[in-house]
Amino acid sequence: MVRTLTGALLLIAASFVAGCCANSDQIGRNSSNSETLPTGNESCGHRYYESDFPIDSRLYEHPWLALFGYKQKDIVSYVFQGLLIHPKYVLTTVFVAQFRDLGQLTYVRIGEHNTSTVIDCEKQHSKEETCAPVVQTIHIDEVIVHPDYNMFRQTNDVALIKLRLPATFDGISVAPICLNRDSDMQSSFLLLTSWCGRRETGLSLIPKQYFMKAITPFECQRLMPHHTISLASEMFCIVFDERHTQSNDVEQEPNLRGGSGAPIYTVHEGNRILLIGLLSYGPRYPAKLHEPYIITPVAPFYNWFSEIIEGDLEKSMYTTST
């Protein structure tokens, strides 16, 4: 599900793409324990691979990608994504944070890759099979929505998910992503990653990875002539890059259903991944390949992220000392 553009407003929050093929399982295991590890600019966003970006993501390609679990009675359904930016905080959109159709947002899975396997293993470069550590399933402690979030204009569409226990970073299967802090930064090299897929095929078992390109507000409005698009707070529009729009097979066409909260990122200095923004909303399913998606940038909110996290750390230190 990607939130949809509707009518004269950017979006009426109650209107979502219908249907969902979330991955579900019975509750039957305890959340794993972890300890806080220090994070800094020198330890974020490092790529495991030196080159290429295949559509089907590889093991260890997105160690910062988190998957959310919604609990309804004894069933937990995993759908939508966020980004690990701190051992105890995951960044996502307000839609994901407040989604209730599948129950209460209760868990975050860290270090997930293939949602159909308990242990993720993969052969790399014709070598022996490599297996990742067990996925960390962590209870959510608190959902923090940006105080200036506007449901109708869809501005300030960011939320922080505080984990009850800190995630364990190993730098390979679990690591934080780097956050862009420069509001003036522009990049022609953009990608998007998500567990997503067509309604007919269900959500992908492993994250899909697509090249995207930014378009001007004028072009965005031209492609969505029946909608009024207000790109406040430096929000911007993206469409699929041409390399993904040439297929004649509908089943092979990219589709971002299930992509809410997906990262839009680029490659920065030292082969590091830099988070540019989050997929906020897009066209109603089934979207046409040329239709745009609206992105909430992270740079304008960097100070807010820092204030929340630093305030929590100070509170924890005070509580511990007393």
Side-chain angles (χ1 to χ4, degrees), residues 32-39 87-88 136 138 165-170:
S32 56
N33 294 324
S34 55
E35 296 179 358
T36 303
L37 296 177
T39 61
K88 291 194 72 174
Q136 301 174 43
I138 305 175
L165 295 172
T168 298
F169 292 174
D170 61 15

Side-chain angles (χ1 to χ4, degrees), residues 73-240:
K73 296 183 179 179
D74 62 342
I75 299 293
V76 177
S77 300
Y78 286 92
V79 64
F80 304 135
Q81 45 273 304
L83 288 308
L84 192 62
I85 63 172
H86 180 274
K88 291 194 72 174
Y89 284 91
V90 173
L91 172 63
T92 191
T93 62
V94 177
F95 168 74
V96 174
Q98 296 184 339
F99 184 70
R100 293 292 183 272
D101 288 14
L102 296 172
Q104 181 71 33
L105 179 57
T106 306
Y107 299 103
V108 174
R109 274 187 173 172
I110 308 294
E112 180 66 283
H113 177 65
N114 188 330
T115 58
S116 69
T117 60
V118 176
I119 301 293
D120 293 332
C121 298
E122 203 170 79
K123 287 186 178 180
Q124 300 178 345
H125 309 298
S126 300
K127 297 180 181 179
E128 294 183 358
E129 190 173 60
T130 299
C131 294
V134 175
V135 171
Q136 301 174 43
T137 302
I138 305 175
H139 273 83
I140 289 172
D141 188 53
E142 184 180 4
V143 173
I144 307 170
V145 173
H146 193 282
D148 296 325
Y149 169 67
N150 186 301
M151 180 176 63
F152 295 100
R153 300 187 66 236
Q154 293 305 301
T155 54
N156 305 303
D157 185 21
V158 291
L160 288 173
I161 309 299
K162 181 182 176 183
L163 307 181
R164 185 172 300 177
L165 295 172
T168 298
F169 292 174
D170 61 15
I172 299 177
S173 66
V174 177
I177 194 169
C178 299
L179 294 176
N180 175 40
R181 302 175 62 177
D182 183 4
S183 294
D184 297 323
M185 180 181 176
Q186 295 183 354
S187 176
S188 59
F189 188 83
L190 295 174
L191 296 105
L192 180 148
T193 293
S194 171
W195 285 280
C196 56
R198 304 183 66 81
R199 187 177 298 164
E200 298 83 357
T201 58
L203 301 184
S204 59
L205 298 179
I206 62 175
K208 296 292 185 178
Q209 185 169 233
Y210 298 116
F211 285 94
M212 311 296 288
K213 64 177 183 180
I215 59 175
T216 65
F218 175 81
E219 181 69 3
C220 189
Q221 185 66 77
R222 186 186 71 80
L223 293 172
M224 302 294 286
H226 302 297
H227 305 278
T228 300
I229 301 172
S230 174
L231 302 180
S233 302
E234 302 176 32
M235 298 171 76
F236 61 97
C237 293
I238 61 172
V239 294
F240 284 111

Side-chain angles (χ1 to χ4, degrees), residues 5-19:
L5 293 166
T6 63
L9 295 174
L10 283 179
L11 175 77
I12 299 301
S15 298
F16 303 127
V17 177

Side-chain angles (χ1 to χ4, degrees), residues 47 51-58 61 207-211:
R47 291 193 68 213
S51 62
D52 69 20
F53 294 84
I55 293 176
D56 291 324
S57 297
R58 299 158 292 188
E61 192 140 24
K208 296 292 185 178
Q209 185 169 233
Y210 298 116
F211 285 94

